[in-house]
Amino acid sequence: MDADGLSKSSLRPTVKRSLERALAGRPLDRDEIIELLQSHGPEVEALRAAADEVRRRSVGDAVHLRGVIEFSNYCRRNCLYCGLRAGNGDLERYRIDPDEIVDIAGRAGKLGYRTIVLQSGEDVTYDADTLVWVVRRIKGDLDAAVTIAVGDRPRDEYKAWREAGADRYLLKHETADPELFSRLRPGTALAERVEHLRWLKELGYQVGSGNMIGLPGQTIASIADDLLLLRELDVEMAGIGPFIPNDQTPLADRPGGSLDQTLITLATARLVLPFAHLPATTATGSIDPRGRQKALSFGANVIMPNVTPGRYRQDYRIYPNKICLTEEPENCRPCVEAIITSLGRTVGRDYGHSPKAGFGPGRVEPTA
Ligand code: SAH
Ligand code: SF4
């Protein structure tokens, strides 16, 4: 990194020491993480530069693209923050047929995507067998990795999808504060979510988790706990983005998470989880026109463009003002590539598997 970055006299000595420790590959403790999360003034640039350096050394310059298919906006849950919540009667609901999901994946494959993400609300209409069929078809037709993100399901369903060929699973822990978790996600508990994440690991998935920044009642210490939980779970990916209030939810009047705190958390996450994939999230791009570019320079190395056909996009309204709502997948791809190359980075051409041992060629097979 820029040698001056750490020699600025205006850095608190303890912040300077933490950044030096992280650059030397030593794990940060909770107090150090809390302090980094409170970086201000010139400390923010020093943190960014350290995260960018660790990102470059551990995961390189390639930015991996994941094409996301939002195949159903029905949801049985009532998460207070999310527009897809069952209690939102103002949303036009849709389900995409399994055949059409496979077609959309094929269209994404033609655009060069080497990872297809199947995401939805918690919609059990798509039962285990239906998703087994979809995963098998996509894996059979395309040279691509498949990620599933359909929320909480029984362990045997996760196992069936893994055996059908699914490579990764995304299940954010959302917040590591157990009380806040249960308040925001009625009828669910953090301990269950963590148990599911452990199952997914045991089954041999590359596991993605993550959390929101700026949730009502969230503290800096609890964000530090988010990062510690991600480290303890040894996740392969961590999605970190701002909470964005949605008018159609009970949290409509709450302030959203700030771009600054999101970027500071992302950079700290890069120091805590050097080898994890960290997306420049769509939510970060939705609160600032250059949000994703900024995230890429604060430690991120993944972008997850939407490949859902335009006619469904408007209704996958988790939060308002989501970017690219009127686009078709064909337009998103060049736009995202331009973002990456304008930063002097390269577009990942392989699957973008976890760089950790055991994934990619010669990977471990699923265990029971
Ligand atoms: N139903 C699945 C996947 C879809 S939700 C699940 O919950 O895991 C995908 C992600 O959207 C959630 O993990 C959450 O972090 C994010 N999200 C929901 N509401 C949001 C909001 N108001 N602002 C920002 N992100 C939100
Ligand atoms: Fe459903 Fe996921 Fe939204 Fe919760 S966050 S309401 S589980 S779509």
Side-chain angles (χ1 to χ4, degrees):
M1 76 181 279
D2 162 17
D4 291 346
L6 291 187
S7 62
K8 295 237 170 64
S9 55
S10 38
L11 300 193
R12 283 170 288 173
T14 44
V15 166
K16 184 167 178 277
R17 202 182 54 231
S18 296
L19 295 179
E20 284 165 353
R21 277 171 55 81
L23 281 164
R26 285 201 277 284
L28 299 171
D29 67 25
R30 187 169 186 270
D31 288 341
E32 291 171 320
I33 294 172
I34 290 175
E35 191 171 50
L36 289 181
L37 289 172
Q38 292 170 311
S39 297
H40 54 266
E43 292 169 355
V44 176
E45 173 52 22
L47 171 65
R48 187 208 64 75
D52 201 39
E53 173 65 15
V54 170
R55 186 270 308 152
R56 193 184 59 75
R57 280 193 220 156
S58 52
V59 293
D61 281 338
V63 176
H64 304 286
L65 301 181
R66 324 298 203 193
V68 183
I69 306 177
E70 299 163 337
F71 66 86
S72 163
N73 69 352
Y74 280 84
C75 189
R76 61 178 171 174
R77 296 265 187 238
N78 248 323
C79 304
L80 266 53
Y81 42 77
C82 176
L84 305 195
R85 64 199 307 272
N88 181 11
D90 290 333
L91 191 65
E92 191 81 37
R93 304 279 174 169
Y94 69 86
R95 289 192 173 101
I96 302 183
D97 278 350
D99 276 321
E100 192 181 350
I101 299 175
V102 173
D103 288 348
I104 297 167
R107 196 169 152 193
K110 284 205 186 75
L111 289 171
Y113 288 102
R114 303 293 299 278
T115 292
I116 305 295
V117 182
L118 301 171
Q119 199 195 81
S120 69
E122 285 202 14
D123 183 359
V124 291
T125 306
Y126 297 81
D127 60 13
D129 289 346
T130 305
L131 290 180
V132 161
W133 183 86
V134 171
V135 171
R136 281 218 183 103
R137 282 290 310 273
I138 296 176
K139 292 293 289 189
D141 291 355
L142 299 182
D143 182 22
V146 169
T147 302
I148 304 182
V150 301
D152 299 328
R153 293 289 189 110
R155 192 181 192 280
D156 58 348
E157 300 196 8
Y158 296 142
K159 183 165 182 272
W161 301 331
R162 177 79 183 104
E163 286 168 355
D167 302 271
R168 313 189 188 121
Y169 203 99
L170 290 186
L171 190 69
K172 294 204 202 175
H173 71 274
E174 314 294 2
T175 169
D177 174 338
E179 276 167 34
L180 187 58
F181 185 100
S182 289
R183 196 155 13 113
L184 295 178
R185 300 180 52 89
T188 70
L190 177 64
E192 288 166 26
R193 196 77 159 176
V194 170
E195 184 181 31
H196 283 222
L197 287 162
R198 293 196 202 284
W199 289 343
L200 293 162
K201 276 253 157 196
E202 287 162 15
L203 291 165
Y205 281 101
Q206 297 172 52
V207 172
S209 194
N211 58 283
M212 281 178 274
I213 303 298
L215 290 167
Q218 187 184 44
T219 61
I220 288 288
S222 120
I223 297 177
D225 290 335
D226 287 320
L227 300 185
L228 290 168
L229 177 58
L230 292 166
R231 183 165 72 188
E232 187 199 323
L233 289 166
D234 192 22
V235 293
E236 277 71 45
M237 175 160 130
I240 293 169
F243 157 64
I244 305 177
N246 181 329
D247 268 358
Q248 297 178 336
T249 68
L251 301 183
D253 299 328
R254 298 308 185 98
S258 73
L259 179 69
D260 286 353
Q261 191 62 56
T262 302
L263 295 174
I264 287 170
T265 306
L266 182 62
T268 309
R270 175 53 72 201
L271 303 184
V272 174
L273 310 161
F275 294 99
H277 285 311
L278 299 180
T281 58
T282 305
T284 307
S286 298
I287 60 167
D288 183 291
R290 290 185 50 81
R292 288 183 299 178
Q293 285 91 326
K294 290 176 186 166
L296 287 175
S297 59
F298 274 74
N301 71 322
V302 168
I303 296 188
M304 303 178 67
N306 196 344
V307 296
T308 315
R311 66 184 177 283
Y312 300 114
R313 287 191 188 198
Q314 312 276 351
D315 296 320
Y316 201 82
R317 210 178 313 131
I318 289 182
Y319 49 77
N321 304 321
K322 200 165 155 208
I323 44 175
C324 315
L325 270 191
T326 54
E327 301 297 340
E328 288 293 333
E330 285 71 13
N331 307 332
C332 286
R333 176 88 196 192
C335 161
V336 165
E337 294 212 5
I339 289 178
I340 295 167
T341 49
S342 73
L343 295 169
R345 305 272 286 275
T346 55
V347 179
R349 301 282 169 203
D350 59 10
Y351 302 113
H353 280 318
S354 169
K356 291 196 281 177
F359 298 111
R363 55 183 306 192
V364 284
E365 281 313 303
T367 55

